[in-house]
């Protein structure tokens, strides 16, 4: 069996990389306000590609380092004379939503505006302008992520917590399978496979054609454990027990790091021999796919930024518009620009696999791809590693609700998704 490590933004955050959309927006304003506080503009007006800020007598930027703080001061203190006018309407939308809700999903906001541009006949924010503004935000995001990743490379090994984080996550990546996490049919199939390995020896012992001490050590141990009981039934019980690894090889044959981020954080786990839980003598194949591209221009894997939910009821209407500009930022179309998706399908079709979710919310912006992964006939287990918050609550339930939207067959979902009792936090 194989394993997919499904990597989302929470994976980077767990390593101290500030790569969320809110981090990106906060950093934009922190750097901008720093320029303004230093007077790096002409007269009483500052302008860049995204906005124009006008200053009047009495403005004060003391202790201001985010858009939220700036807006609060503008709205609540009459002495602050600042006027902000956005040239990029999409950038204004995501900043406003981040200000109101304290978070934002940029890709989802884009899709909502895209749908509004053809549904509302009075909409003045046309799709061409929206796409242009969205692409401008993508460029800003890429610049920010490059900066964050460079800082991570410089700081991670010096961080006193990095060794603990690396050990905790690395052992999860290379851990043995726990068959109680798997579907009933997968457990049954595994039991039949293990029985086939000892079936000849069992018959030989019964027919007195071979002695127990003539068998290999692994088969001796398993046959002795089963005794005179029904073999397949006993093997199945043993497979889901805590002592399963004493009798069976339950290590992955191949691990696919399926990264939805644009960063290369998973590379710090490329050497499986660093983690003693993985037997160093076992052959292990590893594969890396950055399904949404990277910010590294040399790997010929451009960033895919947009929306990916062909299941949405409005998506068919968008296709029926017969206007390609509406499909410019649809992920499933952009997947065809590289062979990443083809490589992924080859992996899915190669045999049964478990999906371990590391920091991915499983939200609807990736629903087309996630449905392919989750509903595939070879998917035998979906194990979320949740985020435990400071107040000791966690987001397990949120992940499960999002996962459910990727399934047409809900009973299939309940069989595949690992219940919370068998799950744990990522770090």
């Amino acid at each position: 069996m194989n394993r997919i490590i499904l990597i989302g933004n929470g994976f980077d955050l767990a390593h101290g990389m500030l790569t969320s959309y809110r981090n990106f927006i906060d950093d934009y304003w922190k750097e901008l306000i720093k320029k303004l506080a230093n007077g790096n503009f002409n007269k009483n007006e500052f302008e860049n590609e995204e906005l124009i800020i006008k200053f009047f007598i009495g403005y004060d930027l003391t202790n201001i380092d985010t858009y939220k703080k700036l807006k609060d001061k503008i709205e609540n203190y009459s002495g602050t004379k600042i006027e902000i006018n956005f040239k990029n309407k999409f950038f204004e939308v995501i900043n406003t939503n981040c200000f109101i809700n304290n978070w934002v999903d940029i890709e989802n906001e884009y899709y909502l505006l895209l749908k509004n541009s053809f549904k509302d006949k009075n909409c003045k924010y046309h799709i061409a302008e929206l796409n242009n503004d969205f692409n401008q935000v993508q460029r800003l995001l890429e610049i920010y992520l490059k900066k964050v990743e460079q800082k991570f490379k410089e700081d991670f090994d010096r961080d006193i917590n990095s060794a603990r984080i690396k050990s905790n996550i690395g052992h999860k990546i290379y851990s043995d399978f726990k068959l109680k996490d798997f579907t009933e049919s997968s457990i049954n199939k595994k039991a039949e496979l293990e029985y086939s390995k000892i079936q000849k020896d069992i018959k030989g012992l019964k027919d007195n054609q071979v002695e127990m001490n003539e068998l290999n050590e692994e088969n001796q141990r398993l046959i002795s454990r089963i005794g005179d009981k029904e073999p397949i039934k006993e093997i199945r019980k043993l497979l889901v027990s805590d002592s399963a690894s004493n009798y069976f090889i339950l290590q992955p044959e191949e691990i696919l790091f399926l990264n939805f981020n644009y960063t290369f954080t998973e590379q710090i786990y490329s050497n499986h021999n660093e983690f003693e839980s993985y037997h160093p003598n076992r052959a292990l194949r590893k594969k890396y796919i950055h399904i949404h591209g990277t910010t590294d221009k040399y790997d010929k894997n451009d960033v895919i930024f947009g929306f990916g939910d062909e299941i949405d009821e409005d998506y068919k209407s968008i296709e029926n518009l017969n206007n390609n500009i509406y499909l410019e930022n649809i992920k499933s179309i952009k997947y065809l620009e590289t062979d990443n998706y083809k490589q992924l399908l080859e992996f899915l079709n190669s045999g049964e696999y478990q999906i371990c979710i590391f920091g991915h919310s499983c939200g609807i912006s990736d629903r087309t791809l996630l449905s392919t992964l989750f509903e595939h006939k070879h998917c035998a287990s979906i194990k979320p590693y949740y985020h435990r918050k400071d107040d000791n609550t966690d987001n397990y339930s949120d992940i499960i609700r999002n996962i459910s939207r990727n399934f047409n067959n809900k009973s299939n979902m309940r069989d595949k998704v690992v219940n919370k009792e068998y799950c744990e936090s990522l770090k």
Side-chain angles (χ1 to χ4, degrees):
M1 286 190 291
N2 300 322
R3 175 175 284 156
I4 295 176
I5 305 297
L6 187 64
I7 296 174
N9 180 242
F11 184 77
D12 281 356
L13 296 176
H15 290 82
M17 293 182 70
L18 303 179
T19 55
S20 73
Y21 292 144
R22 182 186 168 190
N23 293 145
F24 156 60
I25 291 173
D26 283 350
D27 182 79
Y28 177 91
W29 287 96
K30 180 181 179 181
E31 295 300 317
L32 178 59
I33 292 169
K34 192 185 297 182
K35 287 182 182 178
L36 301 179
N38 292 333
N40 294 338
F41 53 91
N42 297 322
K43 298 182 180 179
N44 296 323
E45 184 175 288
F46 172 88
E47 180 176 2
N48 62 16
E49 292 186 10
E50 297 81 53
L51 45 75
I52 299 173
I53 300 180
K54 295 182 179 180
F55 303 89
F56 305 97
I57 296 173
Y59 79 85
D60 179 15
L61 296 176
T62 305
N63 298 323
I64 303 296
D65 60 359
T66 66
Y67 180 66
K68 181 174 176 57
K69 290 180 181 179
L70 182 60
K71 284 284 289 182
D72 283 341
K73 190 155 191 173
I74 292 172
E75 294 178 0
N76 297 321
Y77 296 92
S78 57
T80 301
K81 304 294 184 181
I82 301 174
E83 180 182 297
I84 303 173
N85 296 301
F86 284 88
K87 296 160 62 177
N88 185 314
K89 293 180 184 177
F90 181 71
F91 195 56
E92 179 177 14
V93 168
I94 61 176
N95 274 278
T96 301
N97 286 345
C98 195
F99 167 66
I100 295 172
N101 302 316
N102 214 26
W103 71 279
V104 67
D105 184 336
I106 293 179
E107 292 172 311
N108 191 52
E109 293 297 335
Y110 168 75
Y111 191 56
L112 292 175
L113 290 169
L114 182 150
K115 291 196 290 186
N116 191 57
S117 70
F118 78 86
K119 280 186 170 183
D120 184 358
K121 295 181 180 179
N122 297 317
C123 179
K124 296 180 180 180
Y125 195 15
H126 300 298
I127 184 62
E129 185 182 2
L130 171 61
N131 282 346
N132 183 67
D133 288 351
F134 181 75
N135 292 336
Q136 185 179 349
V137 170
Q138 176 183 323
R139 290 192 293 273
L140 290 173
L141 179 62
E142 288 187 44
I143 292 169
Y144 172 71
L145 292 176
K146 287 179 183 178
K147 179 176 73 171
V148 170
E149 187 162 28
Q150 182 59 42
K151 189 175 187 305
F152 171 75
K153 290 176 180 177
E154 295 170 357
D155 295 347
F156 183 70
D157 288 335
R158 296 198 297 266
D159 189 324
I160 59 174
N161 293 316
S162 63
R164 176 186 59 81
I165 293 170
K166 186 175 180 179
S167 177
N168 287 346
I169 294 179
H171 281 82
K172 291 178 175 69
I173 292 172
Y174 296 109
S175 63
D176 287 350
F177 289 120
K178 295 180 180 178
L179 267 293
K180 60 186 178 183
D181 293 343
F182 284 69
T183 61
E184 292 300 303
S185 61
S186 181
I187 297 170
N188 292 336
K189 188 185 298 183
K190 179 66 172 174
E192 291 172 359
L193 175 63
E194 294 300 331
Y195 172 63
S196 69
K197 296 177 182 178
I198 62 172
Q199 187 176 14
K200 184 178 179 180
D201 287 346
I202 290 176
K203 186 177 186 305
L205 289 170
K206 286 183 178 180
D207 295 342
N208 296 317
Q209 294 176 348
V210 67
E211 296 292 330
M212 180 70 83
N213 59 12
E214 296 179 296
L215 308 181
N216 67 53
E217 186 177 338
E218 291 79 10
N219 286 9
Q220 285 185 47
R221 188 165 55 247
L222 181 55
I223 292 171
S224 296
R225 175 66 173 77
I226 293 171
D228 295 329
K229 299 176 183 177
E230 185 179 337
I232 293 182
K233 185 177 180 180
E234 290 303 308
I235 288 174
R236 192 188 190 286
K237 286 167 58 178
L238 193 55
L239 279 169
V240 297
S241 72
D242 292 336
S243 59
S245 59
N246 295 328
Y247 299 93
F248 311 102
I249 295 175
L250 297 175
Q251 295 166 339
E253 296 174 24
E254 183 171 10
I255 293 180
L256 168 63
F257 292 86
L258 183 60
N259 198 336
F260 282 67
N261 302 332
Y262 310 112
T263 53
F264 292 87
T265 320
E266 81 285 355
Q267 291 296 329
I268 65 177
Y269 300 100
S270 59
N271 182 9
H272 63 269
N273 289 322
E274 292 184 45
F275 308 98
E276 73 255 7
S277 63
Y278 199 88
H279 197 289
N281 296 325
R282 264 294 273 175
L284 173 65
R285 301 186 304 276
K286 280 169 284 189
K287 191 175 185 65
Y288 304 88
I289 296 178
H290 283 80
I291 195 67
H292 288 160
T294 74
T295 56
D296 184 351
K297 65 181 180 180
Y298 297 108
D299 70 356
K300 298 180 181 179
N301 191 13
D302 293 341
V303 165
I304 294 177
F305 193 51
F307 203 79
D309 183 12
E310 296 173 357
I311 302 171
D312 180 72
E313 293 179 358
D314 291 315
Y315 183 77
K316 192 64 179 177
S317 299
I318 294 171
E319 286 190 323
N320 289 337
L321 292 172
N322 198 27
N323 187 341
N324 287 344
I325 195 170
Y326 283 92
L327 303 176
E328 184 175 310
N329 292 303
I330 299 300
K331 289 179 180 177
S332 57
I333 294 175
K334 288 193 171 186
Y335 289 148
L336 299 176
E337 295 179 7
T338 69
D339 70 340
N340 287 333
Y341 194 80
K342 177 67 173 175
Q343 289 184 51
L344 175 59
L345 291 180
E346 289 174 354
F347 185 91
L348 302 187
N349 291 325
S350 67
E352 285 197 332
Y353 57 86
Q354 177 186 51
I355 298 174
C356 293
I357 299 172
F358 282 21
H360 199 298
S361 68
C362 300
I364 59 173
S365 62
D366 291 313
R367 185 155 61 165
T368 299
L369 181 54
L370 293 177
S371 294
T372 300
L373 290 169
F374 294 163
E375 294 200 291
H376 196 283
K377 64 181 180 180
H378 286 159
C379 179
S381 171
I382 302 171
K383 189 169 187 175
Y385 285 83
Y386 52 78
H387 169 60
R388 190 181 299 282
K389 304 173 187 176
D390 292 338
D391 61 1
N392 212 33
T393 60
D394 60 70
N395 68 338
Y396 174 85
S397 181
D398 288 332
I399 298 172
I400 299 306
R401 291 174 215 173
N402 288 340
I403 288 175
S404 71
R405 296 188 180 96
N406 297 284
F407 276 90
N408 291 312
N409 186 329
K410 303 303 181 184
S411 63
N412 192 18
M413 178 201 79
R414 288 186 289 272
D415 191 21
K416 290 183 177 184
V417 176
V418 180
N419 65 68
K420 188 176 182 180
E421 184 179 349
Y422 299 152
C423 293
E424 57 186 311
S425 61
L426 178 57
K427 65 170 186 172

